[in-house]
Amino acid sequence: GAVVSQHPSRVICKSGTSVKIECRSLDFQATTMFWYRQFPKKSLMLMATSNEGSKATYEQGVEKDKFLINHASLTLSTLTVTSAHPEDSSFYICSARAGQGGSRTEAFFGQGTRLTVV
Amino acid sequence: GDSVTQMEGPVTLSEEAFLTINCTYTATGYPSLFWYVQYPGEGLQLLLKATKADDKGSNKGFEATYRKETTSFHLEKGSVQVSDSAVYFCALWQNFNKFYFGSGTKLNVKP
């Protein structure tokens, strides 16, 4: 199957700093990428959907100025957590969907990024 | 709105026991249904999927059948192994655009 690579897998940062997480589709073009947040022992919550070259669409309750999403190319989307605070500590997972035909019937997930803000 | 409900865990079984994790959904139209598995500290891996009613998805001994009449997609395996211990998520994908995930069910398999 298609591969989505997420980097870094773990990051620890100081409160007040910003952290960037990358999500790359390695062997297909991802017209749409999704960013999820997973709280401990909870399900995944969709944060935002981004289409290549367009502004991301954020879910209700997600601060777009805090969680900056850029989808500048068909293989790369980034999530930047700005002015991070301990409550932003979480597991973030990206997902990428190819754009055409039967490939649209599946999205592929990255391995996730564990963010710890101290 | 669309939603997925799956049985709460944890589910604890002995090796070689039969597994069922229930999943029901509410959706308009004809969504695709998925089971994902998450091992500790890792992301989601697709376990199996079904894209239309009466389809059966299967992989690694796991099976699930898309039942439109009961709006269900229960996950089953005839003989679980210790290596199957993980969290399992049922999900529906509406219009190839948005996933709705269940709350996840943790499976513990004891030797």
Side-chain angles (χ1 to χ4, degrees), chain A residues 11-13 16-17 19 41 51 59 65 79 85 103 108 117:
Chain A
V11 58
I12 300 173
C13 71
T17 62
V19 174
K41 299 183 180 180
N51 292 297
E59 295 297 303
D65 294 330
L79 167 67
H85 292 283
S103 60
F108 304 95
V117 184

Side-chain angles (χ1 to χ4, degrees), chain A:
Chain A
V3 177
V4 174
S5 176
Q6 195 171 332
H7 178 80
S9 58
R10 294 177 182 273
V11 58
I12 300 173
C13 71
K14 291 184 177 180
S15 186
T17 62
S18 295
V19 174
K20 180 183 285 188
I21 302 169
E22 294 187 347
C23 179
R24 294 180 183 274
S25 57
L26 297 186
D27 50 3
F28 68 99
Q29 293 185 328
T31 54
T32 304
M33 287 191 174
F34 307 86
W35 286 95
Y36 296 84
R37 181 173 179 176
Q38 185 179 30
F39 294 95
K41 299 183 180 180
K42 298 289 185 182
S43 188
L44 283 74
M45 289 175 41
L46 179 65
M47 299 175 66
T49 302
S50 70
N51 292 297
E52 185 264 338
S54 303
K55 288 185 177 180
T57 301
Y58 289 80
E59 295 297 303
Q60 190 173 8
V62 177
E63 299 177 61
K64 61 181 180 181
D65 294 330
K66 180 163 191 64
F67 298 100
L68 300 179
I69 291 173
N70 183 281
H71 191 167
S73 78
L74 285 171
T75 59
L76 174 65
S77 177
T78 60
L79 167 67
T80 302
V81 183
T82 62
S83 186
H85 292 283
E87 57 265 31
D88 299 324
S89 298
S90 195
F91 195 60
Y92 293 87
I93 303 178
C94 71
S95 173
R97 186 194 75 193
Q100 298 178 350
S103 60
R104 294 179 72 237
T105 64
E106 188 170 345
F108 304 95
F109 288 81
Q111 64 269 50
T113 297
R114 170 71 62 193
L115 169 64
T116 304
V117 184
V118 297

